[in-house]
């Protein structure tokens, strides 16, 4: 096999690998009741499941590689029973800042990672969940998955919350090897309220890096073949 063919084979393998990762299924891997910051007190560090860490809590960006654009509510809200998300089943809710996506415009909440990086897994705390909330996962401009209503938390034991303010859940997503560069939060009615965005962030090789790696593999293969021929 010539070096050109070897490089072509590795290129096809690399494209297949990247394509497979991009099309991998995104699923709900776990749901925890009333776990806003994990098992330890705020500020959170590494107390989430599946090796995740807190990335952003709307009071502080805990990881410099992530950002959020959208409506952030300064907690606590004034008046009875209006603060949200709830915590530990309390109507007083969370006293820190949280995101509140309104019905118009949509999407009005976007969580993103810096160029050259991607989310490898994700979790967030959803307060007073509603069936009209929607979360979408993207790799660049390509939508990988979308969950709305009860599919967001995908737990038959939770059922239809219908905006119950005493209900709050930390929801973990498994990306199945996919690279997620942004997550959009939408709602057709008021509102989609959440906090405590966690997950894992990793480096995504640039196309030029993939090309150099493939060329290196091809060159190594060609050298091995020449060595076998010389020995023979």
């Amino acid at each position: 096999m010539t070096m050109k063919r070897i490089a072509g084979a590795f290129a096809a393998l690399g494209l297949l690998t990247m394509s497979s990762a991009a099309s991998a299924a995104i699923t709900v891997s776990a749901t925890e009741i009333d776990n806003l910051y994990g098992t330890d007190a705020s500020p959170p560090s590494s107390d989430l499941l599946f090796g995740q860490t807190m990335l952003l809590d709307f009071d502080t960006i805990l990881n410099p590689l992530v950002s959020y654009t959208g409506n952030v509510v300064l907690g606590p809200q004034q008046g009875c029973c209006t603060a949200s998300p709830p915590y530990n089943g309390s109507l007083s809710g969370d006293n820190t800042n949280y995101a509140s996506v309104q019905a118009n415009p949509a999407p009005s909440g976007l969580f993103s990672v810096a160029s050259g990086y991607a989310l490898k897994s994700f979790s967030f705390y959803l307060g007073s969940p509603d069936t009209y909330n929607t979360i979408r996962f993207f790799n660049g401009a390509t939508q990988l998955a979308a969950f709305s209503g009860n599919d967001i938390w995908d737990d038959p034991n939770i059922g239809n919350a219908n905006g119950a303010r005493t209900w709050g859940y930390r929801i973990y997503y498994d990306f199945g090897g996919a690279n997620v560069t942004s997550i959009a939060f939408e709602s057709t009615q008021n509102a989609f309220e959440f906090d405590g965005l966690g997950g894992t962030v990793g480096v995504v090789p640039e196309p030029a890096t993939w090309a150099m790696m493939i060329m290196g593999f091809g060159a190594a293969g060609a050298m091995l073949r020449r060595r076998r021929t010389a020995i023979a």
Side-chain angles (χ1 to χ4, degrees):
M1 182 182 290
T2 65
M3 180 176 177
K4 183 176 180 181
R5 290 180 179 175
I6 292 173
F10 275 100
L13 179 60
L15 290 173
L16 180 61
T17 301
M18 287 186 285
S19 174
S20 175
S23 61
I26 296 177
T27 57
V28 176
S29 55
T31 304
E32 294 181 288
I33 297 177
D34 289 330
N35 187 352
L36 177 54
Y37 288 119
T39 57
D40 299 330
S42 179
S45 54
S46 58
D47 49 4
L48 301 178
L49 297 178
F50 311 113
Q52 294 187 9
T53 59
M54 203 67 72
L55 304 175
L56 184 153
D57 63 7
F58 299 106
D59 298 291
T60 306
I61 296 179
L62 301 166
N63 188 310
L65 298 175
V66 305
S67 62
Y68 180 83
T69 56
N71 183 45
V72 176
V73 176
L74 303 179
Q77 292 181 343
Q78 300 300 314
C80 172
C81 312
T82 55
S84 187
Y87 189 45
N88 287 335
S90 170
L91 289 178
S92 62
D94 173 24
N95 291 328
T96 63
N97 298 344
Y98 60 91
S100 180
V101 172
Q102 306 299 306
N104 210 1
S108 57
L110 187 66
F111 179 57
S112 306
V113 293
S115 177
Y117 295 85
L119 289 164
K120 303 297 184 178
S121 66
F122 177 70
S123 68
F124 78 112
Y125 184 83
L126 170 62
S128 57
D130 290 291
T131 56
Y132 46 73
N133 299 151
T134 299
I135 183 171
R136 302 181 188 275
F137 298 87
F138 292 89
N139 183 329
T142 303
Q143 178 175 295
L144 302 179
F147 300 91
S148 61
N150 291 355
D151 292 335
I152 290 178
W153 53 86
D154 190 28
D155 188 335
N157 297 318
I158 295 175
N160 185 356
N162 286 328
R165 288 189 176 274
T166 55
W167 289 30
Y169 307 98
R170 171 157 293 278
I171 305 160
Y172 294 84
Y173 294 89
D174 181 358
F175 292 166
N179 294 319
V180 173
T181 56
S182 64
I183 300 173
F185 300 86
E186 305 173 7
S187 190
T188 57
Q189 299 181 46
N190 293 343
F192 191 170
E193 298 160 318
F194 53 93
D195 202 348
L197 307 184
T200 53
V201 179
V203 177
V204 177
E206 297 292 336
T209 304
W210 280 107
M212 291 180 63
M213 291 173 59
I214 292 168
M215 289 178 64
F217 289 141
M223 289 177 62
L224 288 173
R225 178 164 180 80
R226 285 198 297 270
R227 181 175 297 179
R228 292 194 191 99
T229 302
I231 293 174

